[in-house]
Structure formats: C-alpha cells, structure tokens
Amino acid sequence: MDAQGPGGAGEFDPADQWVFDPNTGNYELRLNPAETSADDTTELRRVPRSSSGDGAAGSEPRGRRRAAKREEKEEATGPVSRRKPKPKKSKAKKALYWGSGTLAFLLVGGSAAAYFVYQHLNSNISKVDVGENNAAVSDGPMNILLIGTDRRDGKGNEGYGDAGSVGHADTTLLFHVSEDRSNATVLSIPRDMITDIPDCRTKQEDGSFKSIPGESEVRFNTSLGQEGRDPGCTWQTVEKLTGLEIDHFMMADFNAVKEMSSAVGGVEVCLAKDVNDPKSHLNLKKGRHTIEGEEALAFVRTRHTVGFGGDLDRIKLQQQFLSSLMRKMKSSGTLSSPGKLWGLAQTATKALTVDTGIGTVSKLASLGKNLSKVDLKNVTFATVPVVDNTDGATVLLDKTKAEPLFAMVRQDVSLTEVKEKEKAAKDKQAALLKGPKADPADVRVKVLNGSGQFGAAQETVDWMQNTEGMLRTSNGGNAPSELKKTTLEYAPNQADQARRLADSMGLPASAMKQGTKDAEPMAEMTLTLGADFKGAGTPISAPSKAPKDIQRVGADDKNVCAK
C-alpha cells in the first residue's frame, strides 16, 4: 500500500492521513487526502491488523463493510451527516510507535508514543533466518544482539577501506534489559578479541542449510562474514562467550549511521582535544559538536588520534555517540514532528537487518514499546574486560573481571543505582536471606538436576555431605525439565535451613521460593539446579558490584568527552 496516497509524495504530511472516526472510536486511514471537510463522504478505512503486522486475510475489513452499508443508506435516504471529529491528539501521540532500530538503540530511545504503523514499511526490512524464531517480546529479561558491520558494498557503503570486505562484526554490542525493565546493560565486545567460534548452520538463498565449522582462537569479528557466516554465527559466539541466551539481533552497516544521524537532526558529541584523523576523515576542534551524515560515520570509525589509537578507544566514541543518540530520540523535540518521525521510520526500516522473530514493523514496534520502559539514567554501557595479547594487534578476554561481569548481567544485577521504589521488590526478596541459619546437620534437602550437566545432582550431594556437613541430603535425580536458574523451594518453618543452604551455595535472593504453608517436621526442601550451576562449591550468585576498573559510562551522562 502506498502510504503517500493518490496525492503523491511531498503534497501532505503522511501523519495527516489518520483521522478520528466517531462511529468506530478509532483513528482510521483516509486514502484521499484532498477532501478534508467535516461533512465529506470520503470512505474511511481502518487498516486491518494481525499479530504479524500484516493485513488480515480471508475476510473484508470491518471498516470497509461499514462504509459499504453507509453508501447503501445514502443511496436510499440521501447523504448522512457526520459529526465533527473530536479534537486531534497531540502530534507526539500521532507519531509512529516505532523506533526499535537506530543501530538498535531506538529500542529505548524512539518508542515514545503513537498508535499506528504503516504496513508498507514491512517491505523495507531485511530478514535473516538464523534458526531462532523467538517471540518479539518476552516477560523475562531480554538480550538483543546489535551488530555494526563493515560491509563495503551496496549504496552508501562505497569508498571505505577494503572494498572486498564481506562484512565482519566490526561493532558488536549485547543489549541486556532486566526482567522488571528497571535497568539495562550494554556490553561492547572488542572486535579484535581472540575467542572461539562454534559450529553454525546458515540458511542459503535456495532454502537449504550449510554447516560451517567453528574455529579456535581467532578474532571475534570473523564470527560474521568469514567463511560465509551469518549473524546467527555471531549470535552463537556471543552466547558461548557470555552464557546469556540471545532473543534477537539487529544489524546495520556504514550507511545506516549516516542516514540515521541525519534523520534525527544530528547527534551531539564532545571531544577533549582537537582531532584530525586522515584515515577516518574526522576533523573536529576541541569541544561540543552536532554531527550527522559522513561526519557522524567518521566519528564512530576514528581511532588513530584518540586515546592509545586502538579499537578500545573507538568503542568509547561509539558508546558516547549511541548514548547521545538515545537522548536525542527521547527528547520531545524529536518526537513531536510526525513528518520527521515518518522519515525516521522509513530510514530505520531500510537500515536494519533483523531475525525473523522481529521481521515486521508491528513486531519491532512491540519490542520497542516494551523496552522503552527503561529510564536512560539506568542504562549503562560497559566494555567486556580484556588484556593485551603478545602480538600487539589483538586482545584476550580478562576472565578474572569478565566472568563476574557476565554473572551480574545473567542475574539482572544492575551496573547503576536504581531508585528505591524500583528496588522495592528486589529488596523484599533479598530479605529472605536475612535471619538465623540452621546447623548444617539439620538441613534436609532433595537435589534435582535441571542444569543439563550430567551428574550435577550427585556431585552437589557429595559436596554437601563431605564438605559442608549437610548429611541429610539426597539425590532426587533429573528435574522434569531444564531450568535457566537454580531454585530452592521451602516452607516458612524451613527458612533457617534455606538460609544455611543459600549461604553455603552462594544462592542469589532470586533463587529463594518460599511457600505459604509449614512443612512436616522431617520434610525435605527441594533444590533444583539450573543452567547457572557452575559446579559444586562455586557460588551461583553474582557479585553485587562490578569489578574495579571496568570501562563504563551512563547513557544519560552528557559530560563525557573523548580524550
């Protein structure tokens, strides 16, 4: 459907096609924008919607049937007078419920308000079937993989570096949003980090699948493009690296940075010194600047004249740019113009390649609306900790710092201080760990294995009995199904036993599942090991604070200046 209507592009604002129909109580799409009087009889049609965002099939839309009945009545009795429409809602509320995409951070920034999406935008979106078709929105925590590729082919991508590049994972961020949507953590993964890439399957154009063997100790950025790997291979690499399950991916190229920065009217950045980088073509004086287009792309690509001239310093620039972009998208000025939002939606949908689970505008809009609940002040960018490699060109994962950081993200521990009212539920849960603890010999618990690790339950029972002195423990075998997280179920009169067990195993407060009725005197508690179980004696809970010296910045910090 041509959203510009018969009047042609440029003759009217697309947002003005939506009118309020008092007969239905809905805003509806007027396909003839030339007729605007309150008494006109121009047909109003409500765009049918389905769960996929596509038009309904197999039946005539109700709006069309209603219009046909009205025409029959007019033929018999003359034109039917219409009531004047109610006052129009604000422009901000007429804006598209859209914004899941500017290099992905419209996820938080651009989903401010609106009611409708134009169906033809679906055709703009490129999709890749990575073998996962997750629901667009989850009730639990969500992990979105954001990939900026250095692909050099295609309109707008010409003239940058190696013209033969197949498009590697040049910029990769893992966007984690907490289950309660109170906070988010964005992990930047250095492209030159040495890691292992697992085997992966890629879907070919003819519908067949090709298996691509994995590699050990190679650059992370080769998880995409190299050997024909698609975003699904990067997806699996990140899951293996972090232990987090990814829900969706979004990918954009060089051209996306240029067009999206222009679509929002420019992005403010700050430099602590003059920068003149002939390789990226960035030439800016010290201070604050509003950049867009080619200059914006140069900013996120430059590295030779900032910091130590490496990729880690470029990551800082990218984090500053994306933080500023998110703030710009949240600003009322950006969201108050339907015309600007229409152009932004056009640009964003054309810029994105996504997985099939979010492969329509309606699904992207649902995802964006859900994740926009996160307040920017509780969004933190951090860089995966690494150490220099001996070759001077690559880096290695700093496991001592990285594993605690990954554990915090896996268990929804925020890297920022969340407001007290937002912490109330977590504080109430944490209170379950406070109080007297039973003697180890009095702890009665049955251990079930839902971790997916062979022999985990018996390993834990042996450790409890031989190391912790919990002699009244038993192996309950395999759990009915595998769990992501370990849980401990107990009755109120077993709370002291539960606290002792939680203290020994390092269970997080979220693992405590207290019932409402007291148990019999000799009854056992039930401990079900989940995928977060790393071995008997290894604490399951994540640290409450991030390791020292983790490079990070808050998305709402306007005072960051690149050095």
Side-chain angles (χ1 to χ4, degrees), residues 203-532:
K203 192 170 185 178
Q204 308 301 298
E205 291 185 1
D206 61 2
S208 64
F209 287 88
K210 177 182 179 182
S211 295
I212 302 177
E215 292 185 85
S216 299
E217 299 184 355
V218 294
R219 273 183 167 90
F220 173 84
N221 69 341
T222 59
S223 63
L224 177 68
Q226 204 78 10
E227 308 299 333
R229 295 187 179 102
D230 67 9
C233 300
T234 306
W235 179 315
Q236 294 179 50
T237 302
V238 174
E239 286 190 334
K240 182 176 181 180
L241 174 70
T242 64
L244 288 155
E245 291 190 5
I246 294 172
D247 297 284
H248 302 290
F249 87 85
M250 296 180 178
M251 182 171 69
D253 56 22
F254 288 138
N255 199 43
V257 178
K258 295 186 291 184
E259 293 194 353
M260 291 308 304
S261 60
S262 296
V264 299
V267 177
E268 184 180 89
V269 296
C270 182
L271 294 171
K273 64 178 183 180
D274 295 349
V275 172
N276 187 359
D277 184 356
K279 292 191 175 182
S280 70
H281 307 296
L282 181 68
N283 188 357
L284 290 175
K285 296 294 184 180
K286 172 183 177 181
R288 296 188 176 276
H289 305 269
T290 298
I291 58 175
E292 61 179 275
E294 292 287 350
E295 198 168 43
L297 178 60
F299 184 85
V300 299
R301 292 187 65 227
T302 197
R303 62 188 173 99
H304 295 289
T305 56
V306 293
F308 294 102
D311 186 52
L312 296 180
D313 291 295
R314 174 164 55 185
I315 285 175
K316 295 178 183 178
L317 292 177
Q318 293 168 349
Q319 292 175 346
Q320 180 193 158
F321 178 86
L322 291 170
S323 296
S324 182
L325 178 58
M326 290 167 69
R327 294 194 297 271
K328 186 66 174 286
M329 291 307 305
K330 280 283 191 181
S331 69
S332 59
T334 301
L335 297 170
S336 62
S337 168
K340 181 180 289 187
L341 276 166
W342 173 251
L344 182 60
Q346 288 268 45
T347 301
T349 50
K350 289 180 180 179
L352 287 175
T353 298
V354 301
D355 63 277
T356 52
I358 50 174
T360 66
V361 170
S362 62
K363 292 179 180 179
L364 280 170
S366 295
L367 178 62
K369 178 183 176 182
N370 182 267
L371 301 186
S372 67
K373 298 173 184 177
V374 182
D375 195 307
L376 285 185
K377 66 179 178 297
N378 295 328
V379 178
T380 305
F381 287 84
T383 302
V384 170
V386 293
V387 294
D388 289 335
N389 198 4
T390 54
D391 61 10
T394 59
V395 292
L396 302 173
L397 182 69
D398 186 343
K399 294 182 179 179
T400 302
K401 294 180 179 179
E403 182 49 42
L405 178 61
F406 294 154
M408 291 181 69
V409 178
R410 287 194 296 265
Q411 296 184 24
D412 263 3
V413 179
S414 176
L415 298 187
T416 60
E417 288 296 329
V418 184
K419 277 188 175 182
E420 288 302 318
K421 65 178 182 179
E422 296 168 336
K423 292 170 59 180
K426 290 186 177 181
D427 289 345
K428 182 179 179 180
Q429 187 70 19
L432 296 176
L433 295 174
K434 299 176 181 179
K437 301 177 180 65
D439 187 272
D442 294 331
V443 173
R444 297 176 182 272
V445 63
K446 176 175 61 179
V447 182
L448 302 181
N449 185 10
S451 68
Q453 303 176 38
F454 180 77
Q458 188 58 51
E459 176 190 348
T460 302
V461 169
D462 291 341
W463 172 77
M464 288 177 173
Q465 294 179 350
N466 300 325
T467 304
E468 297 299 295
M470 299 178 184
L471 303 179
R472 293 183 171 89
T473 55
S474 65
N475 183 350
N478 290 328
S481 61
E482 293 185 5
L483 298 180
K484 292 182 180 180
K485 296 182 179 181
T486 298
T487 62
L488 176 60
E489 299 174 73
Y490 61 97
N493 60 338
Q494 296 173 321
D496 58 341
Q497 296 181 52
R499 286 190 286 266
R500 171 58 66 189
L501 182 57
D503 183 64
S504 296
M505 293 194 64
L507 293 179
S510 58
M512 309 294 281
K513 308 297 181 184
Q514 181 174 281
T516 56
K517 295 182 179 180
D518 285 348
E520 295 296 325
M522 306 299 286
E524 292 179 307
M525 300 181 294
T526 301
L527 174 69
T528 306
L529 304 176
D532 55 355

Side-chain angles (χ1 to χ4, degrees), residues 133-152:
N133 193 28
N134 299 325
V137 176
S138 165
D139 291 335
M142 296 198 71
N143 298 302
I144 318 296
L145 185 63
L146 315 173
I147 306 172
T149 175
D150 61 353
R151 184 169 64 92
R152 263 73 175 186

